[in-house]
Amino acid sequence: MKKCFLIACCLGSAMFLYSCGGGGTKESTSETEDTTATNEVNEIGATGDAVDISKPSDSKGVGPVKDYEVKPFNADLAAKGEMLFTSKCAVCHRLDTKLIGPPLQGVTERRTPEWIMNMALNPMEMQKSDPVAKALLDEYKTPMTDLGLTQEEAEAIYEYFRQVDGAK
């Protein structure tokens, strides 16, 4: 009986790590990384400029959301977003502290609605193509996994982030 319990615990732990991106591998690079650089400046963009993940970005990212018109705050949609965040995102993210992924409080002030939703809907392509998403991957070392969200669910999570960031 103890062996079955031990095996179940090991499998559960492995599934947890895999769902948070722990099952992926990071490609090695021949460039030497400067580990003494600040944690906020992480990725060198195509223009040679460093991307500071703490600074706002006007990028819309890569994915299905091309343009999004921000509507008046919708408390019902935010409540749905909070439930989705709790069930799907809170394994790797907290609002105010670093966990496996970055803290998300203030994300609506740093990123466009399109970027936020595209990161939720299309994380693998974002981490390959978008300079900010690449810098976040470099900083946190664990890729965000595709949670299989619909566009409506991504919009609800965005609305929840707006509520957290003070939208009324």
Side-chain angles (χ1 to χ4, degrees):
M1 184 60 112
K2 289 182 181 178
K3 284 184 180 180
C4 290
F5 179 74
L6 183 60
I7 290 171
C9 287
C10 289
L11 286 173
S13 296
M15 288 174 47
F16 171 78
L17 289 173
Y18 182 77
S19 71
C20 290
T25 58
K26 185 178 176 185
E27 294 180 19
S28 63
T29 177
S30 60
E31 296 177 15
T32 304
E33 294 182 305
D34 180 9
T35 57
T36 62
T38 65
N39 288 338
E40 295 176 353
V41 179
N42 296 291
E43 185 73 22
I44 303 299
T47 62
D49 297 329
V51 174
D52 184 343
I53 59 175
S54 69
K55 301 265 176 156
S57 168
D58 60 356
S59 170
K60 292 185 178 189
V62 179
V65 183
K66 305 297 181 207
D67 288 302
Y68 182 77
E69 179 184 337
V70 178
K71 300 168 184 85
F73 177 71
N74 181 330
D76 291 335
L77 190 59
K80 289 177 188 174
E82 182 176 12
M83 289 188 334
L84 285 163
F85 178 84
T86 300
S87 67
K88 295 190 178 244
C89 309
V91 172
C92 297
H93 294 279
R94 295 292 180 267
L95 294 172
D96 58 352
T97 58
K98 182 177 178 178
L99 193 58
I100 293 168
L104 295 172
Q105 190 167 25
V107 71
T108 63
E109 297 160 6
R110 294 185 306 274
R111 309 287 177 256
T112 65
E114 296 88 354
W115 190 96
I116 294 167
M117 287 185 266
N118 282 327
M119 190 67 183
L121 294 167
N122 194 26
M124 303 312 268
E125 189 58 39
M126 285 282 288
Q127 292 166 124
K128 288 179 189 173
S129 305
D130 181 79
V132 174
K134 285 174 157 182
L136 286 164
L137 177 58
D138 187 50
E139 169 74 16
Y140 289 90
K141 309 294 186 217
T142 303
M144 183 167 159
T145 59
D146 189 337
L147 299 173
L149 297 172
T150 66
Q151 193 158 331
E152 292 77 23
E153 290 171 325
E155 186 174 340
I157 292 169
Y158 169 72
E159 197 71 1
Y160 170 59
F161 291 157
R162 286 182 65 205
Q163 177 182 349
V164 167
D165 293 343
K168 303 242 187 274

